[in-house]
Amino acid sequence: MKRLFKILVCAIALFAFTNVAEAQQPEGKRLLLNIVRKVKPEHVTTLRDSFLKCRVETLKEPGCERYEIYQSCEDPTIFFIYEIWTTEEAHRQHNATPHVKIHSQECRGIYEPDFKGDFVKTLID
């Protein structure tokens, strides 16, 4: 019962934080995401191909302005993902789409566990 209570409190806090963050997005600002990931060498093609399939559907989503992947010249196992969304809500809805779920399943276990990736959210004009 105690564990269930803790889970419920966390869920409520997450919901409350989400609403606060959404309310703080200034009018006319867009969400820019810069993500850095490193895959195990044998999975370079897996990430690239899965991302590009997901990209086709993602670019059709309302609120998606850019959805790109770039590969490092120095280390082909490092990828840079660049996304622009009109709102944080559009990005949240994107994360719940079937094509993102498929992409997540296809990429399960391919990332280099010792690499500290990056996930930076920035509001832009």
Side-chain angles (χ1 to χ4, degrees):
M1 185 68 171
K2 203 174 202 181
R3 185 169 187 250
L4 180 61
F5 179 73
K6 285 180 183 179
I7 292 171
L8 182 59
V9 168
C10 288
I12 291 170
L14 180 62
F15 180 74
F17 176 78
T18 299
N19 288 339
V20 168
E22 189 176 304
Q24 292 177 353
Q25 183 172 345
E27 182 83 23
K29 294 286 186 177
R30 297 172 295 151
L31 177 66
L32 166 66
L33 300 177
N34 282 305
I35 305 161
V36 180
R37 296 287 183 255
K38 181 177 177 82
V39 297
K40 297 171 187 170
E42 65 272 21
H43 292 296
V44 167
T45 303
T46 303
L47 176 61
R48 188 176 47 243
D49 291 352
S50 180
F51 185 92
L52 292 175
K53 282 191 301 186
C54 184
R55 182 180 186 273
V56 170
E57 295 305 314
T58 298
L59 289 173
K60 297 175 187 175
E61 293 177 44
C64 179
E65 294 183 6
R66 297 284 304 268
Y67 195 74
E68 309 292 337
I69 191 167
Y70 303 98
Q71 192 171 11
S72 170
C73 294
E74 285 104 29
D75 183 346
T77 66
I78 295 179
F79 289 87
F80 306 91
I81 299 168
Y82 179 83
E83 303 177 30
I84 297 179
W85 296 89
T86 54
T87 64
E88 289 191 58
E89 178 57 28
H91 181 253
R92 269 194 291 284
Q93 290 177 7
H94 160 71
N95 285 333
T97 60
H99 51 275
V100 168
K101 290 177 183 175
I102 290 168
H103 173 62
S104 294
Q105 288 171 342
E106 290 176 346
C107 293
R108 189 164 287 133
I110 72 169
Y111 297 105
E112 192 63 58
D114 297 330
F115 181 77
K116 185 188 178 300
D118 210 358
F119 187 97
V120 179
K121 290 175 141 185
T122 308
L123 293 176
I124 62 171
D125 291 324

